[in-house]
Amino acid sequence: MARRKRTPNLIAFIAIGAALVAVGVSTESNGLLVAGVLFVVVGVATLVKVKQERGANNSDDQQQQD
């Protein structure tokens, strides 16, 4: 079994971004709003990447078992 390199979990950026968006809207600060949206986009992109890697690993494991 290959040992995978440990990578940071950036999915927490979704929660951080949501909080920044909420603060940006309530204080009418465009900078916080943009920063929050950026954090959410990074978090969602990381989530999609992780799901694609898991799908690729699962299909590789199935091919090796056959």
Side-chain angles (χ1 to χ4, degrees), residues 10-53:
L10 301 179
I11 296 172
F13 278 15
I14 296 172
I16 295 168
L20 284 174
V21 167
V23 171
V25 168
S26 67
T27 61
E28 298 177 1
S29 172
N30 289 336
L32 288 175
L33 190 63
V34 170
V37 170
L38 183 65
F39 270 69
V40 169
V41 168
V42 169
V44 170
T46 302
L47 185 65
V48 169
K49 181 181 173 186
V50 167
K51 287 191 180 228
Q52 286 177 346
E53 287 176 356

